[in-house]
Amino acid sequence: MRHRNVRVLATLGPASDTFEMVSKLYEAGADAFRLNMSHSDHAGLARRVAMLRELEQSVQHPISILVDLQGPKLRVGDMGDEGVILENGQTFKLDLDDAPGSNSRAPLPHPEILKVAEPGHHLLLDDGKINLRVEETDGSSLTTTVVAGGKLTSRKGVNIPDAVLPIPALTTKDRSDLEAALNLDVDWIALSFVQSAQDVAETKKLARGRAAVMAKIEKPSAINDLDAILDISDGLMVARGDLGVECPVETVPGLQKRITRAARRAGKPVVVATQMLESMIQNPVPTRAEVSDVATAVFEGADAVMLSAESAAGDYPVEAVAMMNSIAESIETDPNYGQIINAQRTEPEPTGPDALSKAARTVAETLKAAAIVCYTTSGSTGMRAARERSNVPVLALTPHAPTARRLSLVWGLNCVMTEDARDLDDMVDRAGRLAFQQGMARVGDRIVIMAGVPLGTPGATNMLRVAFVADSAANHP
């Protein structure tokens, strides 16, 4: 088992596309793996999922697989072989004509943008490097002033942060990729281009519970609808790449904290992503600023920190994962860590399961128990236990592989697959034995058990029990 609470999510790509490499990434500290459909076809997806399931069998531990859908891509058209230079203050036009662009105009094959753009709105091209302010619109073209110029080449991305676009989050490609991923029994779907809760609702309807849906927060409109998006999503991702393009970059750290804390209050996992150890794409060590960036996410109590190109296409994928693991372990042993985590803890909802989760943490910490053991069928009990951010290790026991895999992305949960307990005696014996086998408890240690009676009933968490690890735990095979 890992000796840290935050999870490491590593992206697979050309630099990590063999069983040998994913095994090394796992050994270095990767708990879960992201498959990016912007750079994969269905055959590649199936091969990587099979490879990760083989790894799961070899390490005898559940591994979470997250498939990241590409989402709509808004781009300018053909700007010729050399591209053009835009000067600050010049007038520049965008229209639907597909003729190659010049230094006075560019093709913009997205009538949806032309529909919603208004004078005063800004268009950001090439990841925000070029900034255009809309002056006039006639429904078929936009006349803009170049606020920040530069070289514009063909098919660079377009962002319009000031408007909600009448574009669904799921493209035809995304729908096909989603179905392929669900048929492969992946655990999480990351949804790009989320503008409102309705985008997430549509994806959840298509998923029908076959995978959990994580909303990527990367647009100002998603920030404005954050509460509704969080309410319907199974988790959130702070997608800082696009978020830093569409929002002023200096606001991103504050938004990251806001999103992370909202997810923590709701008891839903939150992943912090993009450029965490960016320099390790080409260097064997990160910058000090990058280390601090990862540390901030860990101090905030994020469920997972993510590597993108660092593990997918970089020169040092194993070193990047090992560094992420090392930073997380170091921060979680820092004297300030517990104080910061505790200060952000919120009161539970007035429900039986939430009250029991708080009680389990309080009892375990007061008694200095070796572990909290929670029996969870659907995963909800495990999520509630994680929401408490206890300083006592949590062992989540479930008979369902999909539940164990999804929970492997959640803060502090050590997931083990086991049969449902037959009766209360078996429940105590099994909890003690597995806590012992996982190295979380010794014979004679106290453990705190959360479960539901009748046993195996989803959502029926209603029992808390303090028990000792029996001598028989050490003798059981």
Side-chain angles (χ1 to χ4, degrees), residues 261 264-265 299-301 339-346:
R261 293 182 181 190
R264 280 193 56 186
R265 283 194 301 272
F299 273 127
E300 281 291 309
Q339 296 174 17
I340 294 171
I341 291 293
N342 291 340
Q344 298 166 13
R345 186 180 290 123
T346 55

Side-chain angles (χ1 to χ4, degrees), residues 166-453:
I167 299 174
L170 290 174
T171 64
T172 301
K173 168 181 162 54
D174 293 328
R175 289 174 180 273
S176 175
D177 291 346
L178 173 62
E179 190 59 31
L182 294 172
N183 287 337
L184 291 167
D185 295 327
V186 305
D187 310 300
W188 287 89
I189 299 293
L191 181 63
S192 301
F193 210 86
V194 173
Q195 298 187 96
S196 70
Q198 182 56 41
D199 293 325
V200 185
E202 182 182 5
T203 305
K204 290 203 70 171
K205 183 177 179 181
L206 292 171
R208 300 193 304 279
R210 291 181 285 169
V213 176
M214 179 174 291
K216 295 170 67 176
I217 307 300
E218 54 192 358
K219 302 180 78 63
S221 52
I223 295 291
N224 294 335
D225 202 30
L226 184 62
D227 289 344
I229 290 170
L230 180 55
D231 188 50
I232 196 169
S233 301
D234 299 304
L236 299 181
M237 180 183 290
V238 189
R240 304 183 306 177
D242 280 322
L243 196 60
V245 173
E246 299 227 359
C247 300
V249 69
E250 65 273 15
T251 68
V252 172
L255 292 173
Q256 176 178 316
K257 286 183 182 294
R258 177 181 165 189
I259 296 163
T260 302
R261 293 182 181 190
R264 280 193 56 186
R265 283 194 301 272
K268 294 185 178 182
V270 57
V271 176
V272 177
T274 319
Q275 296 180 330
M276 301 211 81
L277 297 176
E278 185 87 349
S279 67
M280 289 194 74
I281 295 172
Q282 298 172 316
N283 300 297
V285 293
T287 67
R288 307 303 181 267
E290 288 168 338
V291 173
S292 292
D293 182 36
V294 175
T296 296
V298 178
F299 273 127
E300 281 291 309
D303 289 80
V305 285
M306 191 179 100
L307 295 167
S308 298
E310 302 96 327
S311 59
D315 296 333
Y316 302 95
V318 176
E319 291 84 350
V321 171
M323 178 58 65
M324 190 81 93
N325 178 76
S326 180
I327 295 167
E329 288 185 344
S330 177
I331 295 305
E332 291 187 2
T333 58
D334 186 279
N336 294 313
Y337 175 74
Q339 296 174 17
I340 294 171
I341 291 293
N342 291 340
Q344 298 166 13
R345 186 180 290 123
T346 55
E347 286 301 303
E349 297 296 319
T351 66
D354 271 35
L356 278 172
S357 297
K358 179 181 179 180
R361 174 182 61 80
T362 303
V363 169
E365 291 177 356
T366 301
L367 295 177
K368 295 182 171 50
I372 296 170
V373 183
C374 61
Y375 285 84
T376 182
T377 302
S378 66
S380 62
T381 302
M383 299 278 259
R384 286 188 181 98
R387 180 180 182 266
E388 288 296 315
R389 297 296 192 260
S390 174
N391 61 28
V392 174
V394 180
L395 180 62
L397 305 182
T398 180
H400 299 297
T403 297
R405 289 165 176 162
R406 289 180 197 179
L407 293 181
S408 294
L409 194 61
V410 177
W411 189 97
L413 294 186
N414 300 284
C415 304
V416 172
M417 283 189 59
T418 183
E419 297 174 0
D420 269 330
R422 296 184 300 274
D423 51 39
L424 293 181
D425 288 341
D426 183 45
M427 178 193 76
V428 172
D429 290 343
R430 191 182 298 266
R433 182 174 74 250
L434 291 172
F436 178 87
Q437 290 175 359
Q438 294 296 311
M440 299 171 75
R442 297 168 299 183
V443 171
D445 281 349
R446 283 191 180 101
I447 57 174
V448 176
I449 304 169
M450 291 171 60
V453 180

Side-chain angles (χ1 to χ4, degrees), residues 21-246:
M21 276 302 298
V22 296
S23 298
K24 288 181 178 178
L25 295 184
Y26 180 85
E27 290 300 320
D31 303 286
F33 293 88
R34 169 178 173 256
L35 307 179
N36 187 358
M37 294 312 296
S38 295
H39 306 293
S40 181
D41 56 19
H42 293 179
L45 174 66
R47 180 176 58 79
R48 292 184 182 99
V49 170
M51 186 166 62
L52 291 171
R53 292 306 183 218
E54 182 183 351
L55 173 65
E56 185 179 67
Q57 284 294 314
S58 69
V59 299
Q60 289 294 293
H61 193 276
I63 292 174
S64 199
I65 299 176
L66 179 144
V67 169
D68 196 335
L69 302 180
Q70 176 177 287
K73 292 299 178 186
L74 307 177
R75 304 181 187 279
V76 297
D78 182 7
M79 296 302 296
D81 293 339
E82 300 298 322
V84 300
I85 301 295
L86 303 186
E87 303 288 348
N88 290 2
Q90 78 167 77
T91 297
F92 191 69
K93 195 170 184 179
L94 299 151
D95 56 44
L96 295 173
D97 187 346
D98 60 4
S102 65
N103 61 2
S104 63
R105 65 162 291 278
L108 182 64
H110 300 289
E112 303 91 348
I113 294 178
L114 301 179
K115 268 183 202 172
V116 300
E118 297 177 359
H121 285 180
H122 286 255
L123 272 72
L124 307 175
L125 313 183
D126 192 10
D127 287 337
K129 296 183 183 71
I130 296 173
N131 184 343
L132 310 177
R133 184 179 64 244
V134 177
E135 304 294 348
E136 297 177 18
T137 175
D138 61 12
S140 61
S141 67
L142 301 175
T143 301
T144 74
T145 297
V146 178
V147 177
K151 186 172 184 178
L152 179 61
T153 55
S154 299
R155 285 170 283 282
K156 290 300 181 182
V158 180
N159 296 78
I160 178 166
D162 302 316
V164 176
L165 291 165
I167 299 174
L170 290 174
T171 64
T172 301
K173 168 181 162 54
D174 293 328
R175 289 174 180 273
S176 175
D177 291 346
L178 173 62
E179 190 59 31
L182 294 172
N183 287 337
L184 291 167
D185 295 327
V186 305
D187 310 300
W188 287 89
I189 299 293
L191 181 63
S192 301
F193 210 86
V194 173
Q195 298 187 96
S196 70
Q198 182 56 41
D199 293 325
V200 185
E202 182 182 5
T203 305
K204 290 203 70 171
K205 183 177 179 181
L206 292 171
R208 300 193 304 279
R210 291 181 285 169
V213 176
M214 179 174 291
K216 295 170 67 176
I217 307 300
E218 54 192 358
K219 302 180 78 63
S221 52
I223 295 291
N224 294 335
D225 202 30
L226 184 62
D227 289 344
I229 290 170
L230 180 55
D231 188 50
I232 196 169
S233 301
D234 299 304
L236 299 181
M237 180 183 290
V238 189
R240 304 183 306 177
D242 280 322
L243 196 60
V245 173
E246 299 227 359

Side-chain angles (χ1 to χ4, degrees), residues 13-24:
S16 50
D17 208 24
T18 64
F19 183 79
E20 179 185 12
M21 276 302 298
V22 296
S23 298
K24 288 181 178 178

